[in-house]
Amino acid sequence: MPTMPVAGITPRADAVEPADLIVRNGKIFTGDPARPQATAVAVRDGKVTVIGDDADIAKVAGPGTKVIDAQNRRVVPGLNDSHLHVIRGGLNYVLELRWDGVPTLKQAMQMLREQAARTPKGQWVRVVGGFTKEQFAEKRLPTLAELNAAAPDTPVFILNLYSSALLNRAAVLAAGYSRETPDFKGGQIVRGRDGEPTGLLLAAPSALVLYSTLAKAPLLPAEERKDSTRQYLRELNRFGLTSAIDAAGGFQNFPDNYRTVMDLANEGKLSLRIAYHLFPQVAGQEVDDLRRWTETVRPGDGDEWLRLNGAGENLTWAAGDFENFTEPRPELSPDYEVEFEKAVRLMMENGWGFRLHATYNETIERDLAVFEKLAAEGLFPGDNRWIFDHAETISGRSLDRVAALGGALSIQNRMSFQGEAFVQRYGAGAAAEAPPIRKMLDRGLVVGAGTDATRVSSYNPWVALHWLVSGRTVGDTLIYPPENRVSREQALEMFTIAGAKLTGEDNVKGVLREGFYGDLSILSDDFFSIDERDIPHIESLFTVVGGRIVYAAGDYEGQDEEMPRVSPLWSPVAHYGGYQATPKPSMAGGRQAELLAQAAAESEQQRQWRAARYGAAPAIADNAFETHAH
């Protein structure tokens, strides 16, 4: 593979331990307090060997060294999403129509119509998270009538946050739902006057009805899941991600659903470092599953590409709260602590780390009481790494207790997508500290940042970084005051070194320093100086993981590893890709404004038509799921 033609570096035939890769002429943010800035970095055998300037790296430039000119662009350590459902997300990525980043419902529906026309019989069109109606100019979801008109014969499933799903008539039929189908526990199949399902599913508050319906869609064959996962990892590399902590989750069985990434790791085809968790899937046998796992594998098993990090994000199903902000906070079982304590004790006694899904402070307080009981026996704080995930309403008192027990936190930008719904239910005052980011950091807690993609939030980490810095949702609603936002440097550290600390790898990754992994990206725009509104539009032009060039675009196109074409040929990803890039807001021209205004006008016309025909919209219409008249 040819190197870029650059001046200023002369290969030396006598170079001792020549570098495999040199990136020079860059504005490198190293993340290393000892040397925060540099202009050049050299990588050999997957690790950084020199960080400095041209004079420093000239001695390791050999005849076979690939030299890349960053052209004065910003270079950062590889990003690390500390809570991403990457394993589950990769298995069916090529089957999903992604509305991530799509600015108008009009465009989204045009994509859906086209995809329905090319999707073969027996397959579904599925839009599985990554968007919110607030990102659309029209500020609404499609109606069921629009879905049925766009796809009269092809099943369509649209997952809307944690709160609802929309199915066209073909999908209702394919899912086997009828007037006789009973409602799911904690969920509702909305029915019309005739008793037949309309196509609207509501999580009330449990998302089981949504995910169980999605599970009825066809799966990819095992071999094709490998290609799908590789395409998904490449899409993550597109945004500069080089590591992720997989948070496991429902419908992710071990080892069956882990087989794909295990095979790719054995074949040397992972382009993202993954630290994974194990999540007991069957209520009532969680402790038995955890005990069996502690007897067969241990956290840290694996290698730098794929390694076990512990259990969770649930240890027992009864201890997990729901994150559907369109519904009241769920009341958990009054005695869930009995089995939960057994699970936590098992983890601590066997040296296992764990992470816990906990949205509300009420849940966190109950969990902490169990930990404090075990602390009296000397089990907390211990050497085990343990994490509270999400923690939107955690209190200052609970943060103090987390710190005393040696815990850490991983927060995600779910409020980017659900912020408006949270404000409606709990008020702007409560939303201003949901979660209390700065209070977490001020206590010295390790706070990793992530996306919780793909079923609700988008996997684009720059959307999350924008949320941390600006305090705004993707619908541009300001929810955080300045005192609950972080600097750009702090936000980047939460996506790099903090994630490495959560997996015990902060001695080898998260910063660009000699001896650390050669994980980095050259950005399309300078994160530290770009207009704040443009942060979600940043992409990587050149992503390196362990010295391997796993993604290259723009001036660097063709420098990366070759990838197979997207398969099947009718795949939405083959036609639209993943995240939809749009013009930066600071550079938007009159044409873009005109299109957005047109979409908004069409939305208002439809609202007026519906009001005239059906009366004023119910109060719930402005919530996080759309109501439909039939």
Side-chain angles (χ1 to χ4, degrees), residues 155-220:
V156 174
F157 174 95
I158 299 176
L159 180 64
N160 175 42
L161 306 178
Y162 294 103
S163 59
S164 64
L166 305 177
L167 284 70
N168 66 350
R169 280 189 295 266
V172 171
L173 183 64
Y177 293 157
S178 67
R179 69 173 66 209
E180 285 78 31
T181 305
D183 280 333
F184 287 71
K185 182 180 180 181
Q188 180 184 0
I189 301 173
V190 177
R191 305 169 197 275
R193 288 185 294 271
D194 58 0
E196 294 291 343
T198 65
L200 178 61
L201 307 178
L202 300 180
S206 169
L208 179 63
V209 62
L210 313 181
Y211 299 155
S212 296
T213 304
L214 177 60
K216 295 175 180 291
L219 300 175
L220 283 171

Side-chain angles (χ1 to χ4, degrees), residues 31-322:
D32 183 357
R35 184 166 193 168
Q37 303 293 334
T39 61
V41 57
V43 179
R44 176 183 169 87
D45 294 334
K47 294 187 177 180
V48 174
T49 55
V50 181
I51 184 86
D53 56 23
D54 278 0
D56 295 315
I57 55 94
K59 59 188 177 184
V60 297
T65 301
K66 176 182 285 294
V67 181
I68 298 295
D69 189 342
Q71 301 177 55
N72 203 37
R73 294 187 175 99
R74 175 62 64 185
V75 181
V76 297
L79 300 185
N80 184 348
D81 190 321
S82 69
H83 185 118
L84 178 65
H85 297 278
V86 59
I87 294 174
R88 186 178 66 194
L91 296 178
N92 290 292
Y93 172 68
V94 297
L95 297 181
E96 296 174 358
L97 176 66
R98 303 302 304 181
W99 281 356
D100 306 45
V102 175
T104 69
L105 178 61
K106 182 177 181 179
Q107 178 183 336
M109 289 301 292
Q110 180 61 32
M111 295 166 66
L112 188 146
R113 279 190 292 270
E114 294 171 357
Q115 185 57 41
R118 72 170 63 93
T119 299
K121 185 176 178 60
Q123 288 288 346
W124 295 24
V125 176
R126 57 194 97 183
V127 181
V128 187
F131 80 99
T132 169
K133 70 175 184 179
E134 304 300 336
Q135 78 191 46
F136 296 145
E138 299 92 333
K139 301 297 181 183
R140 70 176 182 88
L141 295 178
T143 65
L144 293 174
E146 288 171 328
L147 281 190
N148 287 316
D153 303 312
T154 305
V156 174
F157 174 95
I158 299 176
L159 180 64
N160 175 42
L161 306 178
Y162 294 103
S163 59
S164 64
L166 305 177
L167 284 70
N168 66 350
R169 280 189 295 266
V172 171
L173 183 64
Y177 293 157
S178 67
R179 69 173 66 209
E180 285 78 31
T181 305
D183 280 333
F184 287 71
K185 182 180 180 181
Q188 180 184 0
I189 301 173
V190 177
R191 305 169 197 275
R193 288 185 294 271
D194 58 0
E196 294 291 343
T198 65
L200 178 61
L201 307 178
L202 300 180
S206 169
L208 179 63
V209 62
L210 313 181
Y211 299 155
S212 296
T213 304
L214 177 60
K216 295 175 180 291
L219 300 175
L220 283 171
E223 188 59 31
E224 293 183 29
R225 292 178 204 169
K226 292 169 66 174
D227 289 339
S228 177
T229 297
R230 290 189 68 192
Q231 295 293 342
Y232 181 47
L233 299 186
R234 180 179 174 83
E235 174 74 354
L236 298 176
N237 298 149
R238 167 189 167 192
F239 295 100
L241 278 165
T242 60
S243 291
I245 309 177
D246 185 86
F251 299 92
Q252 186 170 317
N253 290 300
F254 179 80
D256 299 348
N257 296 130
Y258 292 71
R259 182 59 55 197
T260 297
V261 291
M262 290 177 176
D263 289 344
L264 289 174
N266 291 334
E267 297 168 11
K269 292 181 179 178
L270 290 179
S271 63
L272 188 85
R273 305 184 193 276
I274 300 173
Y276 63 90
H277 286 253
L278 302 183
F279 185 127
Q281 295 294 306
V282 181
Q285 70 175 50
E286 299 99 327
V287 174
D288 290 338
D289 285 342
L290 292 170
R291 182 175 292 108
R292 176 167 47 85
W293 293 337
T294 62
E295 293 171 352
T296 55
V297 291
R298 291 187 61 81
D301 284 356
D303 57 25
E304 65 188 70
W305 289 97
L306 184 66
R307 64 201 304 269
L308 174 64
N309 197 49
E313 61 184 293
N314 277 359
L315 295 184
T316 61
W317 279 89
D321 53 21
F322 301 110

Side-chain angles (χ1 to χ4, degrees), residues 315-379:
L315 295 184
T316 61
W317 279 89
D321 53 21
F322 301 110
E323 55 280 71
N324 179 3
F325 297 141
T326 67
E327 293 283 333
R329 177 181 63 84
E331 294 294 334
L332 302 185
S333 168
D335 60 352
Y336 81 71
E337 287 89 345
V338 175
E339 288 301 304
F340 180 69
E341 180 182 330
K342 293 178 184 178
V344 175
R345 181 185 297 277
L346 182 65
M347 296 295 94
M348 299 303 290
E349 290 178 343
N350 286 275
W352 271 57
F354 59 90
R355 66 191 310 160
L356 294 173
H357 171 109
T359 302
Y360 301 100
N361 187 61
E362 289 82 355
T363 306
I364 291 169
E365 286 183 331
R366 291 177 66 177
D367 291 351
L368 288 171
V370 172
F371 300 165
E372 288 165 345
K373 177 181 177 182
L374 296 178
E377 302 178 27
L379 292 177

